[in-house]
């Protein structure tokens, strides 16, 4: 249930945005409603905790709320991540489904 609820946090009328990942154990998908400036990026980390860095964030996005679902957390907000020069950085929890949602 919580994974589906997390996926449902994708903004209304959002389109898929091309996105590449260089981490072998992480699968990602990015969605955005560009007209409204609303974005969600979903990441499944099948490995250990690691640092995530995402580049190319639109200038009008100032930050993201970070949510995770895993064996101990159910779409729990675990923090916020600010955007600096189009880059956002945060921690990917081990063996978890992380979603960042623009503010």
């Amino acid at each position: 249930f919580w994974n589906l609820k997390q996926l449902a946090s994708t903004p209304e009328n959002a389109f898929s945005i091309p996105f590449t990942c260089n981490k072998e154990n992480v699968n990602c998908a990015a969605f955005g409603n560009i007209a409204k400036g609303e974005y969600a990026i979903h990441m499944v980390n099948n490995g250990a905790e690691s640092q995530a860095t995402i580049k190319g964030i639109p200038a009008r996005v100032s930050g993201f709320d970070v949510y995770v679902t895993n064996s101990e957390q159910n779409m729990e907000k675990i923090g916020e991540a600010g955007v600096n020069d189009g880059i956002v950085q945060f921690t990917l929890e081990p063996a978890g489904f992380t979603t960042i949602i623009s503010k």
Side-chain angles (χ1 to χ4, degrees):
F1 170 79
W2 295 104
N3 289 335
L4 293 175
K5 184 175 180 183
Q6 205 161 311
L7 282 171
S9 66
T10 300
E12 187 175 336
N13 297 318
F15 291 94
S16 176
I17 298 172
F19 191 90
T20 59
C21 178
N22 64 359
K23 293 183 184 265
E24 185 176 310
N25 292 324
V26 178
N27 296 302
C28 306
F31 298 91
N33 181 326
I34 297 168
K36 290 186 175 182
E38 300 172 341
Y39 300 88
I41 302 172
H42 304 289
M43 296 148 284
V44 176
N45 181 11
N46 293 302
E49 177 179 295
S50 66
Q51 185 70 17
T53 300
I54 300 175
K55 299 176 183 177
I57 304 298
R60 67 192 280 194
V61 178
S62 62
F64 291 87
D65 291 322
V66 182
Y67 295 87
V68 69
T69 295
N70 56 31
S71 63
E72 299 174 2
Q73 297 164 298
N74 299 321
M75 196 180 168
E76 184 175 317
K77 182 177 175 184
I78 60 168
E80 299 177 359
V83 176
N84 188 9
D85 292 327
I87 299 171
V88 62
Q89 294 183 309
F90 54 96
T91 301
L92 281 176
E93 297 291 319
F97 175 33
T98 300
T99 297
I100 61 171
I101 302 169
S102 63
K103 296 180 171 198

